[in-house]
Amino acid sequence: MKLLAIDMDGTLLNSQGHISFENRQALSTFVTRTNGAIAICSARPLSTLLKLLDTQQVLPLVRYVAGFNGSQIFDAMENELLFERIMTGEEIRGVDAAVKLCQYDHHFFTANKIMHRNDKPVSPYSRYEAEVFGLPLERYSLTDIYHAADIFKITLCGDKLSVPLWQKAVERHLPVEFSCMATGANYIDIQPVGVDKGSVVEQIKTSLKLDEQDVIAIGDRQNDLPMFNAAGTKVAMGNAVKTLRQAADIVTLDNDRHGVAYAIKQLI
């Protein structure tokens, strides 16, 4: 095993948003024993991921950090941004026209802030993401949003009963160049087709000249499925959604019982 691709929320992070000592030690063991690389793949913004990994004393163990489900890929060893995919104003306008975003609570992510249209009230789900990620939540006219030059993804948000229904409706109307995936019980991310955690793993495999069998992927949500498709060994957390557990080779313990550490111990 030469590459360990891991999700953050619900996987490496416990319910309190921390990386346990056991998980931290397991990551160190993986690097030492395999001389392999660790890739963190998350829906979170890259800037906040880097800060979190540093605070949790894990960043020195990590080679690659992918934010926004793969819209940004950073090589922490070389201190270099390897890939970036920003949505154009025309693309945002096209998604809005097709999906009619005004039907849903939603916001727009840039690298360093969350943009919210000023003609709709701000939902508690938008406020929660801003608080968790430590990003300012700012309100703009729709025209200003269309003209923004640094939007990476559109996030729809709502209660856990509505989100699955919304996803089906959005999928029917999205332009063919875009896809949507649930990134949590309350969130759906809209991004360009081909920008996902699987594309992150594929790029790293190419760069390091790795085969599928060299890769372990660990996750808990629907947006981890593309990462599973690019990996030889697929590990679902004990708290993972049903679709991910069904696609997994191994189901480990949940994120509050150091499931990442347990899986690494079993595999290496």
Side-chain angles (χ1 to χ4, degrees), residues 183-226:
T183 58
N186 305 108
Y187 300 96
I188 300 167
D189 283 350
I190 297 175
Q191 293 180 269
V193 167
V195 175
D196 55 43
K197 296 184 183 184
S199 67
V200 174
V201 175
E202 292 294 349
Q203 289 185 59
I204 296 171
K205 282 162 58 178
T206 299
S207 176
L208 299 182
K209 297 180 173 59
L210 302 179
D211 294 324
E212 185 177 285
Q213 289 71 29
D214 296 321
V215 183
I216 303 170
I218 310 178
D220 76 310
R221 285 284 170 182
Q222 182 192 19
N223 63 325
D224 295 316
L225 277 171

Side-chain angles (χ1 to χ4, degrees), residues 87-93 96 101 106-110 113-120 138-151 153-154:
M87 295 175 66
T88 67
E90 183 178 351
E91 287 175 330
I92 294 167
R93 189 187 299 270
D96 192 11
L101 291 173
H106 63 283
H107 49 265
F108 306 81
F109 274 96
T110 75
K113 67 176 178 289
I114 295 175
M115 301 180 74
H116 197 287
R117 53 197 292 174
N118 61 13
D119 61 345
K120 283 182 65 69
E138 301 175 1
R139 305 187 74 182
Y140 294 85
S141 71
L142 194 54
T143 299
D144 286 339
I145 291 171
Y146 287 159
H147 286 90
D150 57 348
I151 291 175
K153 68 175 183 174
I154 304 168

Side-chain angles (χ1 to χ4, degrees), residues 23-41:
N23 281 350
R24 193 181 305 117
Q25 285 296 107
L27 297 184
S28 179
T29 298
F30 175 84
V31 173
T32 301
R33 290 191 183 176
T34 69
N35 195 32
I38 294 173
I40 299 296
C41 303

